[in-house]
Amino acid sequence: NAGVMQNPRHLVRRRGQEARLRCSPMKGHSHVYWYRQLPEEGLKFMVYLQKENIIDESGMPKERFSAEFPKEGPSILRIQQVVRGDSAAYFCASSPSLGEQYFGPGTRLTVT
Amino acid sequence: TQLLEQSPQFLSIQEGENLTVYCNSSSVFSSLQWYRQEPGEGPVLLVTVVTGGEVKKLKRLTFQFGDARKDSSLHITAAQPGDTGLYLCAGPASGGYQKVTFGTGTKLQVIP
């Protein structure tokens, strides 16, 4: 069973561009979570989605950030008009139910 | 908001020493997970504890869930350099929407 896949692993964007981060959950997992992590810090919750529904987006900035988990295809975290402060590692996790989460390798976003 | 406080925040020890990491909360958790994250990688699930007072062993790692399900500990015997990493506890709080909360993290360095 393949693990959680994230791509790209590294993404460089100039200020003002858009960043699209993709996450394919483990087979059979219908819960997806996105986290952000700055160097030397813990994980900060951003958003929790189930298929076609956003369950909790309380950790996601209201502007420029959006997330989706369509019926078909990967979950997408989209950051519009990126700024330097968006530079971080973004991790996706999936779970078959509430509780244990399985993480992908992360996408490291650098905004120049 | 359910918070999980971990202590110590940083720990640097010599190979072969024993150590304990603590994860504490004022809230009750239906389960707690422990993860280890190595630099540049996503967190990897180590164990889940569910029952108050439960003890689980994973080779040299011993995990305990407090009787009241508000705290947990991770004890490592004879630490090895391969144990180096960021240790995170996490869990869904009891009742209602079980949003998973992550602890503040303990960064462990084992010196050969």
Side-chain angles (χ1 to χ4, degrees):
Chain A
N1 188 10
V4 177
M5 310 286 283
Q6 285 188 253
N7 68 81
R9 291 292 308 271
H10 300 274
L11 182 62
V12 179
R13 286 285 178 267
R14 290 199 179 98
R15 278 181 298 172
Q17 291 185 320
E18 177 180 289
R20 283 194 177 220
L21 288 61
R22 295 175 184 78
C23 169
S24 296
M26 289 178 70
K27 188 177 180 181
H29 288 193
S30 58
H31 302 246
V32 166
Y33 308 79
W34 284 93
Y35 296 87
R36 169 188 160 115
Q37 186 176 42
L38 293 172
E40 307 299 319
E41 293 189 9
L43 294 166
K44 182 182 176 188
F45 168 81
M46 297 183 73
V47 62
Y48 161 41
L49 310 102
Q50 293 182 21
K51 280 288 187 182
E52 300 185 272
N53 290 305
I54 296 175
I55 306 301
D56 182 352
E57 56 183 348
S58 60
M60 199 159 65
K62 293 195 177 353
E63 295 182 356
R64 303 189 298 108
F65 285 72
S66 62
E68 63 178 13
F69 188 16
K71 187 176 180 181
E72 301 291 337
S75 175
I76 306 286
L77 177 67
R78 182 181 176 203
I79 310 173
Q80 295 178 290
Q81 300 174 334
V82 296
V83 300
R84 288 228 173 99
D86 297 332
S87 295
Y90 292 84
F91 290 97
C92 163
S94 73
S95 66
S97 61
L98 294 164
E100 296 179 354
Q101 297 182 16
Y102 297 84
F103 283 81
T107 293
R108 276 141 194 89
L109 172 66
T110 302
V111 180
T112 61
Chain B
T1 303
Q2 295 79 23
L3 294 175
L4 283 168
E5 296 283 343
Q6 287 185 239
S7 62
Q9 192 174 357
F10 299 99
L11 191 55
S12 182
I13 61 171
Q14 293 291 132
E15 181 178 356
E17 292 184 359
N18 302 333
L19 67 118
T20 302
V21 176
Y22 299 94
C23 173
N24 295 296
S25 176
S26 58
S27 302
V28 175
F29 284 80
S30 55
S31 67
L32 271 180
Q33 291 81 47
W34 282 93
Y35 296 82
R36 179 172 65 219
Q37 183 181 22
E38 297 184 18
E41 300 295 331
V44 174
L45 179 65
L46 296 174
V47 77
T48 297
V49 287
V50 179
T51 308
E54 181 178 6
V55 176
K56 279 193 174 178
K57 291 192 174 184
L58 186 66
K59 296 183 181 178
R60 295 175 293 99
L61 278 60
T62 302
F63 304 86
Q64 185 162 8
F65 201 11
D67 291 340
R69 292 185 289 133
K70 292 183 178 181
D71 56 86
S72 181
S73 64
L74 158 60
H75 182 79
I76 301 179
T77 303
Q80 304 289 314
D83 297 326
T84 293
L86 177 67
Y87 287 82
L88 297 161
C89 62
S94 295
Y97 159 54
Q98 296 179 344
K99 175 178 173 179
V100 174
T101 299
F102 274 82
T104 48
T106 294
K107 190 170 183 181
L108 171 65
Q109 181 186 33
V110 181
I111 302 167

